[in-house]
Amino acid sequence: MFCTYCASNLSEHAEICLNCGVRNFKVLNYCDNCGNELNPFQDMCTSCGNILRKPPKGTHPLAPALLTFLIPGVGQIINNQVGKGFLCLFIFIMIGVFIFNNLIIGFIIVGLPILIDAYLIGKKCYEGKAVGKWEFF
């Protein structure tokens, strides 16, 4: 087994590399199976075919979705999409409250897509996939 940060040899049960001090699988610069150099977007090593183990990072996708149910836009802020979160909140207030004068209709028309977006983007973040600052769904 190889360190995923510096590509030095590791024992099968090592959690931290003795050469660089980085916890294994925290950073994926090298394949843990063959030591081949990787780019950050690879999900599989092209040299040996090893599926790269990426630990989940961030909050569980239900957390941003539940918070978005309470306050639309907060889930996007939790998913590191701050500008998009404030824009979603502004749109919800403008359309839901001022145009329809009804929070329930406003939530169905505007809040529901925001909630779905918060969950799907949160799921991508949790799976370790790259997400843009203004990416939707």
Side-chain angles (χ1 to χ4, degrees), residues 90-102 106 109-110:
F90 177 75
I91 291 171
F92 174 75
I93 291 171
M94 296 308 288
I95 293 176
V97 177
F98 293 124
I99 293 177
F100 291 107
N101 290 329
N102 188 332
I109 293 173
V110 180

Side-chain angles (χ1 to χ4, degrees), residues 19-97:
N19 187 39
C20 65
V22 174
R23 186 171 298 278
N24 210 14
F25 303 113
K26 190 141 185 126
V27 179
L28 293 172
N29 292 338
Y30 297 93
C31 176
D32 64 296
N33 189 43
C34 67
N36 187 35
E37 190 170 356
L38 304 170
N39 71 46
F41 302 108
Q42 278 182 269
D43 290 326
M44 182 183 85
C45 178
T46 56
S47 185
C48 68
N50 184 35
I51 302 297
L52 304 171
R53 291 177 265 171
K54 293 186 179 180
K57 59 184 193 179
T59 57
H60 194 276
L62 285 178
L66 291 174
L67 289 171
T68 297
F69 181 75
L70 299 174
I71 305 171
V74 173
Q76 283 75 9
I77 294 170
I78 289 174
N79 289 334
N80 256 351
Q81 296 180 315
V82 179
K84 182 176 140 187
F86 284 116
L87 180 67
C88 289
L89 180 61
F90 177 75
I91 291 171
F92 174 75
I93 291 171
M94 296 308 288
I95 293 176
V97 177

